[in-house]
Amino acid sequence: MTSNLTIDPGSIDENDPAKPSRPRSGPARPSGGLFRAFWRWHFYASFLVIPVLLVLASTGLIYLLRFQIEPILHADLMKVDVPTGAQRLSYDEQAASLLEEYPDGRIAAVLEPSASNRSTDFSLSTAAPGTPSWEDDTIREVYVDPYTGEVLGELDPNKTLSGWAKTTHGNMMLGTTGEYVIELGACWAIVMAITGYYMYWRGRVARARRKVARAAGAALRHKHATVGLFVGVGLLALVVSGLPWTVWWGAKAQEFATSQGTSFWSEDPGAQSSAPTLDASVPHSHNVPWGEGKSKVPTSTSTGMEPVGLDAAIATADEAGFRHPMTVVPPADDKGVYSVLSYAFNSPGHESALHIDQFTGKPITEFGYEDYGALAKVVGQGIALHEGRRFGVLNMIVSGAFCVAVIFMCIAGPIMWWRRRPKGSRTVAAPRGRLDLKTGPMAVVGLVLLGVALPLFGASLVAIFVLDQIILRRVGPLKNFFNTV
């Protein structure tokens, strides 16, 4: 990709490597130099990356703070007054109170209160018995006062602020198409980060000189570069840790890993192969440890007895050393089990799932982090880091600051472009430069290798090359508009 940019020469430092060429009569000649070539790639990558990152950073920040935001927005449902000397009702008693008000529903999951002044979160499903609850679009979160058994009200998990943020973060509300857009944007974000670091280092002297001289736009440019130092590292870390989620690379990489005898997640050797997976048994509003999502869920041995109940299942998990708060998934039919999940929010190394026979209350199989394969452990830790929970409050603060920094970069970049764009210009005013084997052989090789490692990105590179060589260079108006040399 190449360009020719004209701008007011009085606003440019003569020794600035980022300085566009002065206007000259006659046809523009190619401008050499790796700086301008990288600047051009950085510029054009931003057209895809900025919208994607702006959405991901905004929704990611909301989801990161979901445990702080939702109780404020829905305090009447999620918070309760603690009576003096009162004892909590058993979970079975709370469930009975709930089903009195919703006689046609069934309990799909129970999340223990995280504090003494928090309500109990019941996932209620109207799906037919035996139907995986995640397929039920009418599932609702119903909140019960653990001290009185009063049903406080319900929420649609898809319509809460954090529910909207989670969905938008995953596919930009565009379904599968959005998933591909996000994956492609993440790939190009790598290009943005690498070119940005090169430009930071190469232009550091000129940038400092312009700041001292208080040149127009120098302050914003300096802030953009400085904040970019922090954002670039975080961006690369989040892209890498988020790749297992992606619609194409994640799926293909998992297929390859499986063919090599390993996996992004792990299989519970004690469960039955014909049973549903854990993530298919748990409502999507509840978190399932990444490494256990595709593990199979066993079945109970039917004895004609009554199920032991929620409290017995929690007691069994307590004996196994599970951490609170736990999530309990009751059996959906007479062959199901109680699945108790210890999510271990800040410590993926302690996450585990215990499947309990619904009639005897005895453990059938326990499957936790120590049972994961090496790759699943790495991915699990990466996911926790990506979600801002691996290192507790510190991780949360750093992740929150990163989201804010990304939003700043997404706003500052276009402002910088608009300010330097020549008045009345009918082009995109792209930086002028060309990347080829002559100007940057290692950069070209790096792009090719990145395209091989990330095939969706590679396909976009091929498309850009074809567009540039066959169309843009041969159609005059397009050549001028995109500043193609």
Side-chain angles (χ1 to χ4, degrees):
M1 289 188 288
T2 57
S3 70
N4 181 25
L5 173 65
T6 58
I7 195 169
D8 177 11
S11 66
I12 297 296
D13 185 342
E14 289 295 332
N15 296 314
D16 189 346
K19 180 193 68 175
S21 299
R22 293 177 180 274
R24 53 168 67 93
S25 60
R29 291 176 294 177
S31 176
L34 196 57
F35 184 96
R36 290 175 184 165
F38 271 37
W39 188 14
R40 183 174 176 84
W41 279 82
H42 192 83
F43 174 81
Y44 275 115
S46 68
F47 281 85
L48 172 64
V49 174
I50 284 179
V52 171
L53 286 187
L54 194 55
V55 170
L56 294 183
S58 302
T59 56
L61 182 60
I62 293 173
Y63 192 69
L64 177 71
L65 300 175
R66 63 195 181 279
F67 296 119
Q68 289 73 36
I69 294 175
E70 295 298 346
I72 295 175
L73 296 178
H74 307 288
D76 57 326
L77 301 179
M78 297 183 175
K79 293 183 178 181
V80 298
D81 295 324
V82 183
T84 303
Q87 297 293 321
R88 286 184 182 177
L89 300 175
S90 70
Y91 290 106
D92 290 319
E93 289 173 323
Q94 294 179 52
S97 177
L98 171 62
L99 293 178
E100 284 183 8
E101 192 157 331
Y102 294 91
D104 296 328
R106 69 175 177 86
I107 296 172
V110 183
L111 175 61
E112 290 186 299
S114 58
S116 60
N117 68 335
R118 297 293 294 272
S119 58
T120 305
D121 179 358
F122 286 86
S123 290
L124 195 70
S125 173
T126 57
T131 302
S133 54
W134 67 273
E135 291 182 353
D136 182 14
D137 292 333
T138 62
I139 198 163
R140 63 196 73 175
E141 300 298 315
V142 184
Y143 297 87
V144 176
D145 187 321
Y147 300 100
T148 66
E150 178 188 358
V151 177
L152 303 174
E154 64 179 64
L155 286 174
D156 182 340
N158 294 316
K159 295 181 179 178
T160 61
L161 181 61
S162 58
W164 168 84
K166 182 178 181 180
T167 301
T168 306
H169 195 83
N171 59 28
M172 300 182 74
M173 305 297 283
L174 296 174
T176 303
T177 299
E179 293 179 5
Y180 279 103
V181 170
I182 288 176
E183 181 171 349
L184 191 58
C187 294
W188 277 96
I190 298 175
V191 175
M192 286 278 286
I194 294 174
T195 55
Y197 276 120
Y198 178 85
M199 292 165 62
Y200 177 89
W201 177 254
R202 180 69 176 80
R204 67 193 186 283
V205 175
R207 192 169 53 254
R209 185 184 298 116
R210 286 173 56 81
K211 183 184 179 185
V212 171
R214 296 185 178 181
L220 181 60
R221 182 176 168 183
H222 178 77
K223 291 177 182 178
H224 183 83
T226 303
V227 174
L229 283 177
F230 166 62
V231 169
V233 174
L235 200 58
L236 293 173
L238 288 185
V239 166
V240 172
S241 62
L243 281 175
W245 272 312
T246 54
V247 63
W248 198 91
W249 189 93
K252 296 300 179 182
Q254 171 58 23
E255 289 178 8
F256 176 78
T258 301
S259 69
Q260 301 301 307
T262 184
S263 174
F264 282 176
W265 40 76
S266 298
E267 295 287 340
D268 183 350
Q272 298 180 11
S273 60
S274 60
T277 57
L278 185 58
D279 59 0
S281 302
V282 181
H284 66 275
S285 54
H286 291 270
N287 291 310
V288 175
W290 172 269
E292 300 171 21
K294 300 303 178 183
S295 62
K296 302 296 182 179
V297 177
T299 56
S300 295
T301 302
S302 180
T303 63
M305 301 167 57
E306 288 294 320
V308 294
L310 295 168
D311 294 287
I314 292 175
T316 300
D318 265 328
E319 292 178 2
F322 272 38
R323 293 188 174 190
H324 294 271
M326 305 178 197
T327 296
V328 184
V329 183
D333 53 31
D334 59 3
K335 291 185 178 180
V337 296
Y338 285 101
S339 295
V340 183
L341 307 180
S342 179
Y343 190 52
F345 187 78
N346 291 331
S347 181
H350 291 90
E351 63 190 28
S352 192
L354 180 66
H355 302 297
I356 301 167
D357 189 297
Q358 66 168 300
F359 301 109
T360 65
K362 295 181 179 180
I364 298 176
T365 178
E366 180 179 347
F367 183 61
Y369 184 85
E370 66 276 5
D371 301 308
Y372 297 177
L375 183 58
K377 288 182 178 179
V378 171
V379 172
Q381 294 287 348
I383 294 298
L385 181 66
H386 186 100
E387 293 184 340
R389 56 183 175 83
R390 177 60 186 87
F391 299 106
V393 175
L394 176 62
N395 197 168
M396 197 171 183
I397 293 174
V398 172
S399 295
F402 172 78
C403 290
V404 173
V406 169
I407 293 172
F408 166 79
M409 296 291 284
C410 290
I411 296 174
I415 292 176
M416 291 166 57
W417 164 76
W418 185 258
R419 286 180 175 178
R420 72 172 180 79
R421 185 173 181 267
K423 294 181 179 180
S425 174
R426 296 184 178 180
T427 74
V428 293
R432 182 171 179 256
R434 184 172 182 174
L435 181 62
D436 53 28
L437 287 173
K438 183 178 180 180
T439 57
M442 295 302 295
V444 172
V445 172
L447 273 177
V448 172
L449 292 177
L450 189 61
V452 172
L454 303 170
L456 194 61
F457 170 72
S460 69
L461 283 180
V462 172
I464 289 172
F465 179 80
V466 172
L467 178 67
D468 182 65
Q469 296 294 319
I470 297 179
I471 300 178
L472 298 186
R473 291 177 179 276
R474 300 185 182 187
V475 180
L478 291 178
K479 182 176 181 179
N480 293 331
F481 182 78
F482 289 101
N483 292 325
T484 301
V485 179

